[in-house]
Amino acid sequence: MGSISAMVEQDVQPSDWQTKVAQKRQQCREAIPREWQLSPEISKMLAFPLDKNPNRLFDMDIVKKSGILSEREISITEDYTVPELLAKLASGESTSVEVTTAFSKRAAIAQQLTSCLTETFFELALQRAKYVDQCRSEGKVLGPLHGLPISLKDSFQVAGTEASIGFVSFLGKKSEQNSPIVDILLSLGAVPYVKTNIPQTLMTADSDNNVFGRVLNPHNTSLGAGGSSGGEGALIAFRGSPLGIGTDVGGSIRIPALCCGTYGFKPTSSRVPYGGQATPGLPGWKPILACAGPLASDFEALEILTKAIIDAVPATFDSTAIDVPWRRLEQDAGAKLRIGVLAEDPLYPLHPPVKRALAEAAKKLEDQGHQVIQLSPEQGHVADSTEVACELFTLETETPRGHILASGEPPVPSVAAGHRPANFGSYKCVPDIGKLEKLQKYAALTVKRQELSEDWRKIWSEMKLDAVISPPAQNTAVPHDTYGWPPYTVLLNLLDYPACILPFSKSLQEQDSEPLQIQPGQAGPHYDPGTQHGAPCSIQIFTSRMRDEECIRAARIIEKCLR
């Protein structure tokens, strides 16, 4: 918001788009109750500008020092997992009004520090919370999420609010109806209360736009929070939401999870309903199917949310959803898994803390009796999948560009940088792709995609793997506008595999002391031990398509080992 105020101070006449942004930001500020706004004393603790200085918000204990939350509200937001919160709500030990108020207050603080929110509807949420409490008192349970506040990525439509997805040209348009997933959440007893920030175009891993500003990472505000569900990642890491829903077409759930140290789950596409969202692209153009899924502060929340939504028979709400029930698998706590380990691709080298975390996780699993099988870079097809996905994504870029041009706003830096990795064109898994017309190109890429899927089918079949663990990214959270292309997540969008992110370890300057410079022919951000010190590390677990239940089960076993 600093650029707007600076512009006014210099007595420069704002353009139409800047005027619209100033008005929208003023509305957003006014939507936060005065008693929830941070005092000047808290501002004195911070180093400005926040995105240029490594403010480590958790170390500052700002929530407690602000005095905005009571001790009991701090406990509600910090001390319980989602299953524990649901149990407290079910027993009457806590009311939905109490829990919703606590998370609303904390979300308001998170917004003032990290710009993680877009739309807030605290009053409506409290009315909803009173209603579900009344239902509870009458013995009527609405569903497995009864009374639980849930945050939503900005692209989901909530009737009466905006879904501008960071485009100035979309401002002022109210959603006339809910996205199907919102209706399902309401039917399950949930309490939506905020929507969360995203990147302009939804196609970069830096959640930054001219309307709502840049999402900052609460671990270190000079690092990115990931994208495109970056607001969800920052909000949940800050404990301003117990459970949120993001979307993922190239890593957009998993990247914020790994950057912010939360759990995340990308299901197989269409198992969780995705329809009825605001979209930046050409309607109907879906070369890679996106999916919706949860981010949370605890692992169990991932299954609770996914299972509850699928059990609600989403195909009766959304024609794009697959009508496949959630399968109840036997939970063998002592089961030993055959686990593949995805190799580092030489074109997309891993940062030292990422490489260390993956090696430590593999050793822990082996030490506890699981079979660990190393896969080669050739078997993993990370670079090939990156090339195919990038070609598919860049077949149609005119529509998002048109939304930007419509208002006169400029592209933000990560969008201006383009959607291709720096080494794009240095290798060709699809020969002569540049010579083909668009339709021929799409067909050739589809053939290559099927070849990659077939190679992976053989791996599952011949190696009899239960799951694969992999780096979720080359890197941890990195400085703003440097994340670039996401090779280790987009692989699984191309294959349409379900995948979990589990927080594990962190970047440590003493242990991971060697800088990493990306070499010619490679792509990715550089690694600086000092800048990235303390950033969360994670591992990614995935299974084959439609094996979402097996993915969750394997991740639970692996999570237990790693803890």
Side-chain angles (χ1 to χ4, degrees):
M1 296 183 193
S3 61
I4 296 293
S5 58
M7 175 189 69
V8 173
E9 285 168 15
Q10 293 165 21
D11 198 30
V12 176
Q13 191 65 34
S15 66
D16 283 350
W17 77 264
Q18 289 169 315
T19 300
K20 288 177 182 174
V21 166
Q23 290 168 347
K24 180 64 178 176
R25 291 188 177 194
Q26 184 63 27
Q27 289 172 12
C28 292
R29 280 192 290 268
E30 290 172 356
I32 297 177
R34 184 169 295 178
E35 61 272 22
W36 298 358
Q37 293 175 14
L38 294 170
S39 68
E41 285 69 34
I42 296 296
S43 296
K44 289 174 185 172
M45 297 169 57
L46 302 165
F48 291 92
L50 296 179
D51 63 333
K52 299 289 195 296
N53 290 281
N55 294 275
R56 299 178 188 273
L57 301 180
F58 297 128
D59 296 342
M60 297 178 180
D61 203 16
I62 287 175
V63 173
K64 193 167 189 178
K65 289 174 181 172
S66 73
I68 292 168
L69 277 73
S70 67
E71 287 294 331
R72 182 169 166 84
E73 288 169 335
I74 289 173
S75 177
I76 286 170
T77 56
E78 290 183 0
D79 296 341
Y80 303 103
T81 62
V82 163
E84 290 166 345
L85 275 175
L86 288 169
K88 289 172 78 69
L89 287 162
S91 70
E93 189 179 339
S94 295
T95 65
S96 180
V97 166
E98 185 178 30
V99 174
T100 301
T101 300
F103 280 103
S104 294
K105 286 183 175 182
R106 194 156 184 139
I109 297 172
Q111 163 62 6
Q112 292 168 78
L113 297 168
T114 69
S115 300
C116 58
L117 304 182
T118 56
E119 307 297 313
T120 59
F121 29 98
F122 299 127
E123 280 302 318
L124 283 174
L126 288 172
Q127 289 173 27
R128 164 82 177 164
K130 287 174 186 172
Y131 166 73
V132 300
D133 283 339
Q134 180 65 30
C135 289
R136 176 91 67 186
S137 71
E138 295 168 358
K140 181 183 176 186
V141 178
L142 298 178
L145 303 177
H146 192 117
L148 188 73
I150 288 186
S151 51
L152 300 161
K153 186 174 183 172
D154 189 66
S155 53
F156 292 104
Q157 312 258 11
V158 176
T161 70
E162 294 184 14
S164 59
I165 54 173
F167 287 116
V168 176
S169 58
F170 283 18
L171 285 175
K173 301 170 186 174
K174 301 278 188 186
S175 299
E176 295 180 3
Q177 58 188 27
N178 295 333
S179 296
I181 200 169
V182 176
D183 283 332
I184 292 175
L185 290 172
L186 294 171
S187 75
L188 297 172
V191 181
Y193 66 118
V194 293
K195 293 175 69 178
T196 52
N197 204 356
I198 36 70
Q200 185 188 55
T201 74
L202 299 184
M203 281 301 293
T204 84
D206 290 280
S207 291
D208 176 27
N209 61 78
N210 292 314
V211 180
F212 302 104
R214 184 190 294 284
V215 182
L216 308 180
N217 193 319
H219 291 274
N220 177 343
T221 57
S222 69
L223 301 180
S228 62
S229 310
E232 282 297 333
L235 179 66
I236 286 164
F238 197 81
R239 306 290 296 206
S241 170
L243 180 58
I245 299 185
T247 65
D248 195 310
V249 75
S252 298
I253 288 169
R254 292 161 291 151
I255 295 168
L258 73 91
C259 286
C260 298
T262 77
Y263 294 84
F265 179 53
K266 179 206 102 59
T268 304
S269 66
S270 305
R271 289 207 73 186
V272 172
Y274 185 83
Q277 291 186 66
T279 175
L282 181 67
W285 175 245
K286 300 174 181 178
I288 296 176
L289 283 178
C291 62
L295 294 92
S297 295
D298 64 274
F299 175 77
E300 293 299 329
L302 303 182
E303 181 173 11
I304 286 172
L305 187 283
T306 308
K307 177 181 175 297
I309 289 176
I310 293 175
D311 281 347
V313 194
T316 61
F317 291 80
D318 182 356
S319 60
T320 69
I322 296 173
D323 195 1
V324 176
W326 183 261
R327 290 177 289 115
R328 273 70 176 166
L329 305 180
E330 289 183 20
Q331 301 297 336
D332 185 354
K336 299 303 176 188
L337 303 177
R338 281 178 61 83
I339 302 169
V341 180
L342 190 74
E344 173 183 38
D345 192 291
L347 295 181
Y348 298 96
L350 303 181
H351 287 193
V354 174
K355 191 181 288 191
R356 173 178 56 78
L358 185 64
E360 286 176 3
K363 186 174 188 311
K364 279 198 170 199
L365 292 167
E366 209 162 28
D367 289 348
Q368 295 188 42
H370 299 284
Q371 265 188 288
V372 173
I373 299 106
Q374 294 288 334
L375 304 178
S376 69
E378 291 73 25
Q379 288 172 311
H381 285 301
V382 171
D384 290 346
S385 297
T386 282
E387 183 179 1
V388 172
C390 187
E391 290 281 12
L392 285 169
F393 282 135
T394 53
L395 279 175
E396 202 290 301
T397 58
E398 291 306 309
T399 305
R401 189 180 296 124
H403 295 322
I404 295 172
L405 292 172
S407 67
E409 65 171 314
V412 297
S414 60
V415 172
H419 300 312
R420 296 174 184 269
N423 63 347
F424 195 79
S426 61
Y427 57 100
K428 287 290 180 189
C429 71
V430 185
D432 300 323
I433 189 77
K435 298 176 183 177
L436 302 177
E437 297 296 323
K438 186 179 283 191
L439 187 60
Q440 294 173 317
K441 187 182 286 190
Y442 181 62
L445 292 168
T446 302
V447 169
K448 184 61 185 180
R449 182 183 188 177
Q450 188 55 49
E451 289 173 8
L452 298 172
S453 295
E454 176 62 14
D455 283 356
W456 266 100
R457 184 198 63 76
K458 290 175 183 174
I459 289 172
W460 294 111
S461 177
E462 293 167 8
M463 295 190 170
K464 295 180 167 51
L465 300 177
D466 295 302
V468 174
I469 63 170
S470 78
Q474 295 173 258
N475 43 275
T476 61
V478 288
H480 302 294
D481 300 323
T482 65
Y483 193 100
W485 185 259
Y488 295 92
T489 50
V490 80
L491 163 72
L492 305 180
N493 298 94
L494 192 76
L495 297 170
D496 198 12
Y497 285 179
C500 267
I501 296 295
L502 304 182
F504 179 65
S505 189
K506 61 171 66 172
S507 178
L508 298 168
Q509 188 172 0
E510 317 81 58
Q511 280 185 263
D512 312 307
S513 56
E514 288 297 315
L516 174 73
Q517 290 289 314
I518 298 299
Q519 299 302 308
Q522 298 177 332
H526 301 305
Y527 168 66
D528 178 77
T531 302
Q532 289 163 245
H533 174 70
C537 294
S538 304
I539 63 163
Q540 180 170 237
I541 297 107
F542 63 89
T543 51
S544 59
R545 189 168 185 266
M546 295 299 292
R547 296 289 177 178
D548 302 71
E549 296 87 345
E550 285 83 356
C551 188
I552 292 279
R553 181 174 64 180
R556 180 185 292 104
I557 293 168
I558 291 167
E559 161 82 354
K560 189 176 179 184
C561 287
L562 299 185
R563 296 289 157 248

